[in-house]
Amino acid sequence: MSESNEPEILFGIYCPPHPQPLLSPDASAGYGKLRAAFDECRRRIEESEADIILVYSTTWASIIGHQIQALEKAVWTHVDDDFHYLGSMPYEFAMDTEFAHAMKANCEKRGLEARTVEYEGFPIDTGSVVALQLLNPENRIPACILSSNMYANRAETIVLGKAARDTLAAQGKKAVVVVVSSLSNRMFTEHIDPAEDRIHSQKDDDWNRKILEFFGDGRLEDLSQLSRDIHGQIRVQKVVAYKPAWWMAATMGQHNNYDGEVLAYEALHGSGGAVITLTPASGSVGDKEFDEDDVEFYRGDRNVLDKGMLE
Amino acid sequence: MADGQKGQIVAGCLAPHPPHLVYADNPPENEAYSEGGWETLRWGYQRLARKLKNIDYDAIVIFTPHWQTYIGTHFLGLPQFKSKSVDPVFPNLFRYNYDLTVDVELAQAMHDEAAAQGIITKMMKNPDFRVDYGTITSCHLLNPEWDKPIVTISSNRNTHYYSPEVMVEQATALGRACAKAIEESGKRVVLVASHSLSHRHFVEEAPLPEDMSREHIYNHSQYVWDMKIIEMMREGKSREVIDIMPEFTEQTIAETEGGGLIWMLGAMGYPEFPAEIYGYQSVIGTGNVVACWDPNDETREYVL
């Protein structure tokens, strides 16, 4: 733990959930580049002194609050719903149970509904499986996976990130933070030749490149502030908001003091897949004054509909 | 065509799949144990299951929103699946050991007919694939003996990718293709649309999930919408149900967004006879009705 009682985040990784970099990296040059970027991240993790890999996965949707994977040894063979023909993904992951239980307690202290899951055969999602298989194949470092609540919006997600900071600081663990998410997430709706994969539209590609520019400059809090715009512009409306940048900023620190590096940006069946690292640094970039308020404690629904009714 | 007879759809069931219902039933296949709960739905299911026992059929074809595919519609394509289904949202309630058989011939026929009509399709032939809990729950409650082969059809996410209106068009086209394949197969088939009506959940769970003093619909708007839809079902207005579906889906975050009911009613040619209603109840805030469309005038009942 650092002297300021702040958590020690070694670096963050933003990576895509699709299975192609794991199962078919040779099917296209782009998939191969993404795989190489994952491999580079794996190497950096191995050379780091990380005590835990903390994963926030957008492909693990939850309803009852925020779920935290706590099974000490999670073993199964996963198959993706869409890309089942690419093959199976057997896995055996080591989870940091101590962290998971403390994370639950810290979520509750900040007003969040949360629970751990410790069940043999629990279906760990494609994104988490891909990330942990590629980033930590030998289970050298224990992990923990957090779900993405489908109804959660900004306040809840920010507070979830702060609960993660609380937990890391309290346990004095050095962390690599991993966010599993696409950039633009519109895939082609027909089967394609992987060799001809491309971003679904020019608009998606333009937005992706703007986001990558921000990441490259280390402007994580700026991206957090832009999340609602990103959701409206390039995200298929499957959930209420684009949340990964909110959680990543709240967990790593809500500022722009990072060294950003875009290791790869390629299409994954039309969606935008990027492998990016953010390393805490001293310099800062950006000229924005943020207009989204910060939040420390989640107080639930405001019951607006029950207030101010005409007599 | 088997024996020169035309195949037919002998029943269509709207069969919601909250895992709570299996949990409440305490079957030996499920690891979790409960003190009961949600009897209105479970007793309704039991009555419908008894009715199906008296119908001669060869297979269940089920459309599930918990096998979500973005690249076309997929069909289970291997003869047997045996594994454990753990609900990713309610793992405390549902850890079900299943061993089921698939009518691959029928699945392939529906796949081929849909593909011939321009629908993007895929057969799922990975033996490690885990069958979704929607399929398991609805099929368990309709046929706890698992003595009929099934075919699971995935939900292509047209509502999210395009709009509820596009889903109506796509799921209806798929339904028609499946109906044609069934007719040519010579088989007698029960169709199942596995989903709730209104679908806004509470995000907290009672310490005892089956504590029925805590169970109610998420809000009154959902209830009113659900009742409107059920009233139209009772009146045989299935075409009107589909016409109003986009607005219903948007207003109540309804699980009809997955396309199951549209697919089923489309396959049945928008029946104008009344649906049999077996029960309505909320589960963790969502609205659920068990209903059946029986095309046989002699066996169709007024249940509730």
Side-chain angles (χ1 to χ4, degrees), chain A residues 242-253:
Chain A
Y242 169 73
K243 292 173 267 204
W246 287 335
W247 184 84
M248 194 173 197
T251 303
M252 293 189 66

Side-chain angles (χ1 to χ4, degrees), chain B residues 260-300:
Chain B
L261 184 59
I262 304 163
W263 161 82
M264 186 173 78
L265 294 178
M268 298 183 80
Y270 302 119
E272 295 181 354
F273 51 82
E276 299 171 341
I277 304 299
Y278 287 83
Y280 172 85
Q281 193 172 21
S282 68
V283 180
I284 200 153
T286 65
N288 301 274
V289 67
V290 178
C292 178
W293 283 261
D294 180 354
N296 186 335
D297 294 339
E298 296 179 0
T299 56
R300 189 181 314 125

Side-chain angles (χ1 to χ4, degrees), chain B:
Chain B
M1 194 176 298
D3 303 328
Q5 296 290 315
K6 277 188 175 181
Q8 58 179 302
I9 297 164
V10 296
C13 304
L14 178 55
H17 56 248
H20 306 66
L21 304 181
V22 170
Y23 165 70
D25 254 356
N26 288 317
E29 296 96 330
N30 196 29
E31 293 176 0
Y33 177 79
S34 78
E35 296 177 5
W38 302 280
E39 278 74 15
T40 304
L41 282 173
R42 289 197 293 122
W43 293 344
Y45 253 122
Q46 287 163 14
R47 180 160 180 191
L48 177 54
R50 288 198 299 273
K51 176 186 176 83
L52 293 180
K53 280 285 173 206
N54 293 320
I55 293 177
D56 176 26
Y57 68 98
D58 301 303
I60 293 173
V61 177
I62 180 167
F63 186 111
T64 174
H66 287 287
W67 180 10
Q68 301 185 357
T69 53
Y70 294 89
I71 308 159
T73 297
H74 300 216
F75 300 76
L76 284 186
L78 291 173
Q80 186 176 33
F81 289 90
K82 181 178 181 180
S83 186
K84 179 195 284 188
S85 173
V86 180
D87 185 330
V89 174
F90 300 102
N92 51 325
L93 310 182
F94 191 85
R95 304 186 300 280
Y96 188 103
N97 295 286
Y98 63 87
D99 184 357
L100 58 85
T101 57
V102 175
D103 187 335
V104 178
E105 182 183 60
L106 182 59
Q108 186 72 54
M110 290 189 291
H111 165 277
D112 293 350
E113 184 58 40
Q117 295 189 23
I119 298 169
I120 307 297
T121 53
K122 190 82 175 174
M123 292 295 283
M124 204 305 298
K125 295 185 175 180
N126 186 322
D128 295 324
F129 186 79
R130 181 147 51 172
V131 177
D132 70 287
Y133 76 89
T135 292
I136 304 293
T137 297
S138 293
C139 288
H140 169 86
L141 292 165
L142 290 171
N143 180 31
E145 292 79 18
W146 290 94
D147 56 358
K148 301 286 185 183
I150 69 165
V151 176
T152 295
I153 302 176
S154 76
S155 168
N156 184 223
R157 311 308 284 166
N158 290 298
T159 301
H160 295 306
Y161 258 44
Y162 302 107
S163 70
E165 289 81 4
V166 170
M167 177 55 95
V168 169
E169 296 298 321
Q170 293 283 325
T172 300
L174 180 66
R176 288 181 182 140
C178 290
K180 186 163 185 271
I182 289 167
E183 185 176 307
E184 292 176 357
S185 75
K187 293 180 176 175
R188 296 168 62 84
V189 172
V190 172
L191 300 186
V192 177
S194 171
H195 58 79
S196 306
L197 293 179
S198 65
H199 204 237
R200 182 54 163 96
H201 304 78
F202 292 110
V203 294
E204 297 174 354
E205 189 177 54
L208 186 69
E210 61 268 38
D211 179 352
M212 289 296 97
S213 70
R214 301 278 293 269
E215 187 60 77
H216 60 86
I217 195 76
Y218 187 86
N219 63 36
H220 187 61
S221 171
Q222 291 198 174
Y223 169 78
V224 172
W225 263 108
D226 287 346
M227 288 304 113
K228 179 64 180 174
I229 295 293
I230 291 170
E231 178 188 337
M232 292 162 75
M233 291 174 178
R234 283 185 190 282
E235 294 172 349
K237 295 180 176 176
S238 66
R239 176 69 250 184
E240 288 85 345
V241 168
I242 300 306
D243 288 344
I244 206 172
M245 190 69 74
E247 186 156 10
F248 170 65
T249 298
E250 289 190 335
Q251 293 286 330
T252 69
I253 323 175
E255 209 173 21
T256 48
E257 56 86 22
L261 184 59
I262 304 163
W263 161 82
M264 186 173 78
L265 294 178
M268 298 183 80
Y270 302 119
E272 295 181 354
F273 51 82
E276 299 171 341
I277 304 299
Y278 287 83
Y280 172 85
Q281 193 172 21
S282 68
V283 180
I284 200 153
T286 65
N288 301 274
V289 67
V290 178
C292 178
W293 283 261
D294 180 354
N296 186 335
D297 294 339
E298 296 179 0
T299 56
R300 189 181 314 125
E301 303 172 76
Y302 185 91
V303 181
L304 291 174

Side-chain angles (χ1 to χ4, degrees), chain A residues 27-269:
Chain A
S28 83
Y31 303 166
K33 288 176 184 172
L34 287 165
R35 174 59 173 267
F38 269 110
D39 290 345
E40 173 61 18
C41 289
R42 172 184 51 77
R43 190 185 62 75
R44 293 184 189 184
I45 291 172
E46 287 172 355
E47 291 176 356
S48 77
E49 297 179 341
D51 301 308
I52 184 171
I53 299 173
L54 180 56
V55 179
Y56 173 86
S57 176
T58 55
T59 53
W60 181 11
S62 62
I63 289 173
I64 305 299
H66 304 275
Q67 298 194 142
I68 304 159
Q69 181 56 249
L71 188 63
E72 189 171 8
K73 188 177 173 185
V75 183
W76 200 258
T77 297
H78 177 70
V79 177
D80 186 69
D81 279 356
D82 256 311
F83 298 108
H84 43 78
Y85 54 89
L86 294 180
S88 306
M89 294 175 261
Y91 63 79
E92 181 176 326
F93 297 139
M95 294 293 154
D96 186 335
T97 299
E98 179 193 27
F99 178 89
H101 287 280
M103 176 72 190
K104 171 182 180 287
N106 284 320
C107 284
E108 291 170 345
K109 283 180 189 170
R110 286 183 177 269
L112 297 173
E113 178 80 14
R115 65 183 181 189
T116 53
V117 294
E118 293 181 79
Y119 301 101
E120 186 262 328
F122 182 88
I124 294 180
D125 60 288
T126 295
S128 297
V129 172
V130 169
L132 287 175
Q133 287 282 47
L134 291 176
L135 297 174
N136 190 37
E138 305 298 326
N139 277 319
R140 289 179 65 252
I141 302 165
C144 186
I145 310 169
L146 307 179
S147 72
S148 179
N149 182 288
M150 61 181 293
Y151 296 118
N153 213 301
R154 182 174 180 275
E156 209 171 335
T157 307
I158 295 281
V159 172
L160 181 69
K162 291 188 175 181
R165 283 179 73 82
D166 296 343
T167 313
L168 291 170
Q171 297 192 348
K173 288 178 175 168
K174 297 173 187 168
V176 171
V177 167
V178 176
V179 164
V180 182
S181 175
S182 311
L183 298 175
S184 63
N185 66 343
R186 181 169 290 276
M187 294 193 292
F188 293 109
T189 52
E190 65 270 17
H191 299 281
I192 63 167
D193 178 352
E196 296 177 1
D197 206 346
R198 59 179 174 79
I199 301 295
H200 190 277
S201 70
Q202 186 66 48
K203 180 185 176 186
D204 283 358
D205 191 37
D206 288 348
W207 266 94
N208 289 341
R209 290 181 187 280
K210 178 56 71 177
I211 293 168
L212 293 174
E213 187 181 315
F214 275 53
F215 267 122
D217 288 341
R219 297 171 66 176
L220 179 56
E221 179 59 19
D222 284 351
L223 283 168
S224 175
Q225 296 284 327
L226 282 170
S227 286
R228 296 191 196 282
D229 289 316
I230 292 169
H231 188 66
Q233 293 292 339
I234 56 165
R235 299 289 290 184
V236 174
Q237 309 289 298
K238 293 186 279 189
V239 293
V240 298
Y242 169 73
K243 292 173 267 204
W246 287 335
W247 184 84
M248 194 173 197
T251 303
M252 293 189 66
Q254 294 163 287
H255 51 74
N256 291 331
N257 306 348
Y258 297 97
D259 288 333
E261 188 175 2
V262 177
L263 296 172
Y265 165 58
E266 300 291 339
L268 284 163
H269 210 92

